[in-house]
């Protein structure tokens, strides 16, 4: 079977930027990573991860491009078939490319179709919008709360005599 995905760039502009693509359900997440980076014009050399997501686009389990964990439990893209994590019941993933720039994409399974003879897969079906030169800035929850003041405790960190700590602590 062939999975048809819509990959949407998370941006705060009026322009919709997305790609529609087809890939075999048995291909790996690394194959999906490769077609996403190519279709959006990235060189594919940066770190990336997929995150299993729910209907509200909450970030769940990470499946990374490279194993950076100390334990053996991390899932890797090249060892994970697409149909192991994406199906009709759970059709959404979040994809993050380049952890310094934080290019973030919403990946949603749009349709499952039969494989067409004579077609090569993966296949880029449709392109909408131009990718900006830099990743859109993210607005984090703490940034959205205008009442937040990280220095609200009004401690003077230069006033060592009144900081209430034992200078002979060790």
């Amino acid at each position: 079977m062939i999975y048809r995905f819509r990959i949407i760039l998370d941006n705060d502009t009026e322009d919709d930027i997305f790609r529609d693509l087809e890939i075999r359900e048995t291909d790996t997440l690394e194959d999906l990573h490769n077609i996403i980076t190519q279709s959006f014009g990235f060189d594919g050399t940066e770190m990336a991860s997929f995150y299993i997501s729910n209907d509200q686009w909450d970030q769940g389990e990470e499946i990374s491009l490279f194993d950076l964990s100390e334990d053996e439990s991390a899932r890797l893209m090249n060892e994970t078939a697409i149909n192991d994590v994406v199906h009709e019941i759970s059709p959404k993933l979040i994809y993050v490319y380049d952890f310094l720039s934080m290019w973030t994409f919403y990946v949603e399974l749009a349709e499952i179709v039969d494989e067409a003879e004579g077609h090569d897969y993966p296949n880029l079906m449709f392109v909408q919008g131009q990718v900006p030169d830099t990743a859109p800035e993210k607005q984090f929850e703490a940034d959205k709360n205008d009442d937040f003041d990280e220095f609200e405790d009004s401690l003077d960190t230069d006033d060592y005599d009144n900081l209430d700590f034992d200078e002979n602590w060790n």
Side-chain angles (χ1 to χ4, degrees):
M1 300 302 286
I2 299 300
Y3 278 13
R4 289 185 173 160
F5 285 101
R6 174 157 286 175
I7 318 301
I8 304 168
L9 175 63
D10 178 19
N11 66 22
D12 292 331
T13 66
E14 295 175 12
D15 301 330
D16 291 332
I17 302 170
F18 65 88
R19 307 292 185 259
D20 290 343
L21 54 92
E22 299 175 308
I23 192 167
R24 288 182 182 92
E25 67 176 334
T26 55
D27 284 345
T28 67
L29 286 178
E30 185 175 27
D31 298 321
L32 183 57
H33 152 79
N34 289 334
I35 184 128
I36 292 172
T37 56
Q38 291 169 12
S39 68
F40 281 94
F42 299 118
D43 61 14
T45 60
E46 300 295 333
M47 277 296 303
S49 286
F50 283 100
Y51 298 89
I52 296 173
S53 181
N54 60 17
D55 286 339
Q56 289 75 41
W57 295 105
D58 295 323
Q59 186 173 306
E61 177 190 359
E62 178 181 15
I63 304 167
S64 62
L65 185 59
F66 301 109
D67 187 5
L68 300 176
S69 67
E70 294 179 11
D71 60 16
E72 300 281 324
S73 65
R75 291 172 76 178
L76 299 176
M77 289 183 199
N78 66 345
E79 299 172 351
T80 306
I82 295 170
N83 62 3
D84 285 346
V85 293
V86 177
H87 37 78
E88 291 152 330
I89 297 169
S90 178
K92 296 181 179 183
L93 296 170
I94 297 171
Y95 173 71
V96 177
Y97 177 76
D98 185 355
F99 289 109
L100 294 178
S101 297
M102 293 296 290
W103 291 95
T104 304
F105 300 86
Y106 299 111
V107 179
E108 186 165 14
L109 177 63
E111 188 176 22
I112 300 173
V113 297
D114 291 326
E115 187 168 339
E117 283 197 37
H119 275 85
D120 289 330
Y121 298 100
N123 175 39
L124 178 61
M125 298 170 42
F126 185 77
V127 173
Q128 171 67 43
Q130 294 292 326
V131 177
D133 293 335
T134 59
E137 287 192 31
K138 300 290 175 263
Q139 185 81 15
F140 296 102
E141 291 301 317
D143 297 338
K144 293 177 185 176
N145 185 355
D146 293 336
D147 298 332
F148 179 74
D149 180 5
E150 64 183 304
F151 302 109
E152 70 182 85
D153 57 12
S154 68
L155 287 176
D156 181 4
T157 56
D158 293 325
D159 183 8
Y160 297 112
D161 294 331
N162 295 317
L163 279 179
D164 192 33
F165 70 90
D166 183 6
E167 64 183 78
N168 299 314
W169 62 273
N170 58 356

